[in-house]
Amino acid sequence: MDIDFKFVPKHFASRSHEKMKEVLMNPNATGPSIHYYMIRGGKQQRNITVWETGTIGREYIKTYGHYHVGNLDETYWFLLGVGIALLQKLALDPNGKMIADIVEEFKAIPVKQNDSIFIPSGYGHLVANIGTSYLVTADDSPVNFTEVNPASLPGHADYELVKQMRGFAYYVVENNGKPALVRNKLYKEIKRKEFNGIPIIQ
Ligand SMILES: [Fe+2]
């Protein structure tokens, strides 16, 4: 049976190595051509994300990371695998605009199958796959299918601040077979930190 590809991009997207270079700890390291896959259903039907396994250089495969536009929280349900979720809230300028390089609060949260995490409005988020199987999640963020590219770049997500800082305040890396965090030195200040036992290395 033929697949009519004109209907695919509305619901399916993948994030390429080429695109992920913008936010990798080492953009020159090699990796799989696709880092993760997304099927968008929206708030009711849910969105499914599937992460590849492995590392790019030392860094575990992760999602790009984004902040939500407007007042929007989100829940992630972990269906398979093990990962580390990173949440960060940026400082705000007097006009309430996010300051790209000052982090008010940073959290690294170990997650596994059957866990869920709640992402309050204002917290940027990404997840790294630290396991040997696919990492699979469902989430409830809304998708407006009348947008130009709702599956790959939904309007509720702001990727620019992450791009500008070449990722989040820390990178999740493999260190002797275990996850560790490496500080992203482009960030000027990280005020409150919660690492949940994950070591910080150089
Ligand atoms: Fe989100």
Side-chain angles (χ1 to χ4, degrees):
M1 197 177 78
D2 289 339
I3 296 170
D4 188 340
F5 282 99
K6 83 172 175 287
F7 294 114
V8 173
K10 286 280 183 204
H11 293 271
F12 175 77
S14 55
R15 203 67 83 213
S16 68
H17 181 70
E18 213 44 46
K19 178 72 182 163
M20 288 301 292
K21 280 180 179 177
E22 295 170 357
V23 294
L24 292 177
M25 184 171 83
N26 180 359
N28 300 318
T30 54
S33 57
I34 302 295
H35 289 203
Y36 59 99
Y37 309 87
M38 296 159 278
I39 303 168
R40 302 277 190 192
K43 193 161 183 65
Q44 293 305 318
Q45 198 175 352
R46 309 302 196 210
N47 310 292
I48 303 292
T49 306
V50 178
W51 284 247
E52 279 292 350
T53 56
T55 53
I56 315 300
R58 288 193 291 157
E59 189 180 13
Y60 288 108
I61 286 184
K62 65 179 176 184
T63 41
Y64 194 101
H66 63 249
Y67 298 89
H68 287 168
V69 178
N71 186 19
L72 177 67
D73 57 40
E74 184 176 12
T75 299
Y76 270 87
W77 293 272
F78 291 86
L79 309 178
L80 179 71
V82 284
I84 292 178
L86 304 185
L87 273 64
Q88 67 180 34
K89 188 181 180 159
L90 296 177
L92 302 177
D93 72 12
N95 299 320
K97 209 169 156 266
M98 288 188 269
I99 302 169
D101 59 357
I102 301 178
V103 178
E104 206 53 62
E105 188 181 1
F106 176 89
K107 291 182 190 194
I109 305 167
V111 286
K112 59 181 188 313
Q113 187 175 332
N114 297 329
D115 288 349
S116 66
I117 53 168
F118 177 75
I119 297 155
S121 180
Y123 284 76
H125 43 281
L126 69 78
V127 184
N129 180 6
I130 63 163
T132 53
S133 76
Y134 286 122
L135 178 65
V136 183
T137 63
D139 74 73
D140 64 351
S141 63
V143 176
N144 176 357
F145 288 104
T146 63
E147 287 170 5
V148 178
N149 193 353
S152 184
L153 299 167
H156 75 267
D158 178 353
Y159 298 91
E160 282 308 309
L161 289 159
V162 187
K163 182 181 179 182
Q164 192 183 331
M165 299 308 296
R166 308 204 63 85
F168 273 24
Y170 290 84
Y171 297 105
V172 184
V173 302
E174 193 204 316
N175 184 45
N176 299 322
K178 290 207 168 99
L181 298 169
V182 172
R183 173 92 148 80
N184 177 349
K185 294 188 176 66
L186 294 178
Y187 285 84
K188 258 196 264 175
E189 194 185 352
I190 303 158
K191 292 181 181 172
R192 280 177 290 149
K193 307 167 182 110
E194 185 186 310
F195 299 130
N196 291 302
I198 304 161
I200 312 299
I201 62 164
Q202 287 301 306

